[in-house]
Amino acid sequence: MIIKNAALETVCGITSKLPQTIYPEVAFAGKSNVGKSSLINTLMNRKSLARTSSQPGKTQTINFYNINSQLYLVDLPGYGYAKVPQSEKEKWGKMIERYLHTSSQLKAVFLLIDIRHEPGANDKTMYEWVCANGYEPIILATKLDKIKRSQIQKQQKILREGLKLRPGTKLIPFSSQTGQGREEVWHLIEQFCFSQENLSEKMTE
């Protein structure tokens, strides 16, 4: 997709009412230090629209990014950040659950996992949780540029086995540094968000 306009349109905190959007939505979930903001910036062809930080746990709200007035990329709060009080983590969890349960426009959930490491307990819980909410998450294996090409197959296998992925679950290696995986992710987003009748029209705009 050619990105003509990308803007942060709505920010929802713990007590905020979730917006009733008119465009399809795709959501991104992941551990606090997994590179979620960098990935979203890469998808939007922007350097710093989604705020990145050297301190994990920066995203404490649900952020809705309007793309071309056609769809929303939805950035969910990062999970698993040790320095955040447990009570705060629980509030974020409830906020994410409320979004998954109530959004009428949510078409797909992308779950980000660091390709360099085995999935942690929080990653496994989030995967099972998203599945329990009726979605089959697409796994984005981030920080691909941090490992050697010869390690990619091995690390993908570790992720699949560690998460106990359901048969047919898509797993896409992704690098925000090189952009590898970007086109594949956008192809999936377009499939989820746009009907076959207008898919070709959207892709050529």
Side-chain angles (χ1 to χ4, degrees):
M1 172 177 278
I2 297 172
I3 310 298
K4 294 180 180 178
N5 297 291
L8 176 57
E9 184 173 290
T10 305
V11 176
C12 293
I14 291 168
T15 59
S16 302
K17 183 178 179 180
L18 292 168
Q20 296 296 315
T21 63
I22 61 173
Y23 303 124
E25 302 164 9
V26 292
F28 296 84
K31 201 180 293 183
S32 297
N33 59 352
V34 77
K36 187 155 48 68
S37 295
S38 295
L39 180 142
I40 291 173
N41 280 328
T42 299
L43 291 177
M44 295 189 295
N45 273 339
R46 301 294 189 271
K47 288 186 177 180
S48 58
L49 187 52
R51 292 181 298 173
T52 60
S53 173
S54 58
Q55 294 182 328
K58 188 76 172 178
T59 304
Q60 301 178 13
T61 53
I62 299 178
N63 300 331
F64 290 76
Y65 295 92
N66 185 323
I67 308 298
N68 294 349
S69 294
Q70 293 177 336
L71 64 94
Y72 290 97
L73 303 185
V74 182
D75 186 7
L76 300 176
Y79 57 82
Y81 185 41
K83 292 186 179 180
V84 175
Q86 184 61 34
S87 59
E88 198 71 12
K89 292 179 187 177
E90 290 174 0
K91 289 178 183 177
W92 294 353
K94 289 177 182 177
M95 182 165 57
I96 295 172
E97 187 171 28
R98 180 161 58 98
Y99 170 69
L100 294 178
H101 278 164
T102 61
S103 173
S104 61
Q105 294 287 358
L106 181 59
K107 305 302 181 185
V109 178
F110 290 85
L111 178 58
L112 282 63
I113 310 286
D114 191 328
I115 197 170
R116 300 173 296 176
H117 310 299
E118 289 188 32
N122 286 316
D123 296 319
K124 296 173 185 177
T125 299
M126 180 59 76
Y127 174 70
E128 293 166 2
W129 191 34
V130 173
C131 290
N133 276 279
Y135 297 92
E136 291 196 10
I138 300 95
I139 308 301
L140 298 183
T142 62
K143 306 196 178 183
L144 177 63
D145 52 283
K146 304 291 186 184
I147 65 172
K148 295 178 181 177
R149 186 179 295 272
S150 60
Q151 296 176 300
I152 295 174
Q153 293 276 15
K154 175 188 173 186
Q155 294 305 116
Q156 287 187 78
K157 184 178 180 183
I158 288 173
L159 293 188
R160 285 190 177 279
E161 293 178 350
L163 291 170
K164 297 180 180 177
L165 295 184
R166 297 177 179 182
T169 299
K170 288 189 178 294
L171 189 156
I172 302 173
F174 192 99
S175 169
S176 295
Q177 294 296 317
T178 67
Q180 185 170 337
R182 181 182 184 275
E183 294 307 314
E184 191 173 353
V185 172
W186 267 118
H187 180 68
L188 283 175
I189 290 173
E190 289 171 330
Q191 283 186 324
F192 284 119
C193 292
F194 306 127
S195 66
Q196 284 303 123
E197 294 81 58
N198 62 16
L199 179 58
S200 59
E201 176 185 339
K202 296 288 184 185
M203 292 178 70
T204 56
E205 284 182 352

